Structure formats: C-alpha cells, structure tokens
Amino acid sequence: MADAHLTRLPDDTANILQARAGTLSPAKFAHVVCLTSQLDVMRDWYMIVLNATVSFENDRLCFLRYDDEHHRIGLIRYDDLQPMPAAPAAVVDHFAFTYRDLPELLGTYLRLKALGITPYWTINHGPTTSIYYKDPDGHKIELQVDNFTNEECDAFFAAGKYEENPIGVIFEPEAWIRRYADGEMVASITSRPALPPGMTPHDMIRL
C-alpha cells in the first residue's frame, strides 16, 4: 500500500524522500512487548522494578510507561504459551534499562532487595556496571549505568581491553555501597579490575 502511494508522488518528491532516508536511523527505541500467561503478575513486577505506571490496560493487554514515552513495556496475555527454552536459544537474550549514575543504580538494587527482588548476576562489564534480574516469566532484565563517556568507551574498545575480557568481572553491590559511603570516587569504584587469579572471562558468566 505504501509503495502504491509513493508511485503517485512526483518523481522529485519520491527521490528526495528516498535520498533523505539513505542516512537516517530511527529516532529512538520505543518499546518491548512480551507475551505472557500471567498478565497481572508481570504487570506488577515491572511496575515495581521500573517504578512504572499503567498507561492502558484491559483483560488482554497492558502498556506501562516510566518516562515521556506513552509505553515502554507492552504485555499481551496468551493462555497457551510454550515455556521459555531451558538452554540458550535463538531468542532475544535480554533487554536493558540505563540509570543516570551509580548511586541511582545502587539505590535501586537496595530498594528491590528490600522487596524480595534479587539479581542473579552483578557484573562490571567495563563499559557498564550491570545488575541482571529475571522477570516472573524468565526474561532477563539488565539494569545498568554507563561507566564511560562514548569517547572513553571507544578508547576502551580500541585498546583491546574488551576483546581480552568481553564478559567483565563480578562485583558485590554491598561492597560497592560501602566504598561509596566511605567517599571513594565513582570512577574508582567502577574501574574494572583484572580477573581473579586462575579465572577466565567464561567463569564470570551467570545464566
């Protein structure tokens, strides 16, 4: 239908639109939609974890928002879903949400821990500090903060530091909270250390 409409445009208009699109990327990533057989449970979990609110809801679907977008998370109820694959499979591995700074991320970790929501993986990737959770359906959710500016990240990649360890180093959030409380600079806390002796990047993976 769109192609048929374009054929009715003057040739110069169609050429201009196509030329402009040659260097265009999307303006933003809009939302993620999950199918679920437990709509209420998933809705409540995301409302807690993301401090989100409901922008639309009925008995079949729910849209959640936490910023200026009308919805960031969509949940659609299906009653006869197949279970999540137990082993790694060709599916989306995880989706991530970025906080403004390390205190926000650590504060969110403490807030969720007090509510009984605990991570399965806490890892300093190098470019990011990341705390991973699983939602009630088993989707992996990453809460992260950038450790670098874009320029610093490019330099980190160019120096080969990510290639030598593309996973990161596991960290203990409570230890980082103590370091922050003691006045240590955030850049020092988030500086990725070497791997523990005798360990490889693969040893840092948690599924």
Side-chain angles (χ1 to χ4, degrees), residues 7-145:
T7 60
R8 295 195 298 272
L9 293 172
D11 288 343
D12 58 340
T13 301
N15 291 337
I16 289 170
L17 291 173
Q18 183 172 343
R20 287 176 177 171
T23 56
L24 284 179
S25 298
K28 60 184 177 181
F29 184 86
H31 58 259
V32 171
V33 175
C34 298
L35 305 182
T36 182
S37 59
Q38 46 180 352
L39 183 61
D40 292 349
V41 172
M42 287 281 280
R43 175 203 61 205
D44 293 348
W45 192 87
Y46 279 98
M47 288 181 69
I48 291 171
V49 170
L50 301 179
N51 271 328
T53 59
V54 174
S55 57
F56 178 82
E57 183 177 27
N58 62 26
D59 63 341
R60 299 297 304 182
L61 63 90
C62 178
F63 292 156
L64 298 173
R65 66 188 303 172
Y66 59 82
D67 59 7
D68 58 347
E69 184 73 6
H70 47 77
H71 71 284
R72 289 294 184 186
I73 302 291
L75 304 170
I76 301 176
R77 180 167 69 85
Y78 274 79
D79 296 328
D80 298 313
L81 292 175
Q82 297 297 312
M84 292 279 286
V91 297
V92 174
D93 181 73
H94 69 276
F95 38 98
F97 301 88
T98 300
Y99 286 82
R100 297 168 187 82
D101 53 35
L102 184 64
E104 282 194 359
L105 181 66
L106 295 177
T108 298
Y109 161 81
L110 290 170
R111 176 177 68 83
L112 296 179
K113 181 181 177 183
L115 295 171
I117 299 175
T118 57
Y120 73 93
W121 194 23
T122 56
I123 185 84
N124 182 349
H125 288 302
T128 66
T129 293
S130 302
I131 301 178
Y132 289 83
Y133 296 84
K134 291 182 181 178
D135 73 16
D137 280 348
H139 302 103
K140 300 175 184 177
I141 309 302
E142 177 185 5
L143 306 184
Q144 68 167 36
V145 65

Side-chain angles (χ1 to χ4, degrees), residues 139-171:
H139 302 103
K140 300 175 184 177
I141 309 302
E142 177 185 5
L143 306 184
Q144 68 167 36
V145 65
D146 289 322
N147 294 337
F148 300 141
T149 64
N150 286 342
E151 293 76 16
E152 291 168 340
C153 190
D154 289 342
F156 184 86
F157 290 149
K161 294 181 180 179
Y162 195 75
E163 186 171 358
E164 72 184 25
N165 179 3
I167 305 302
V169 177
I170 290 173
F171 73 96

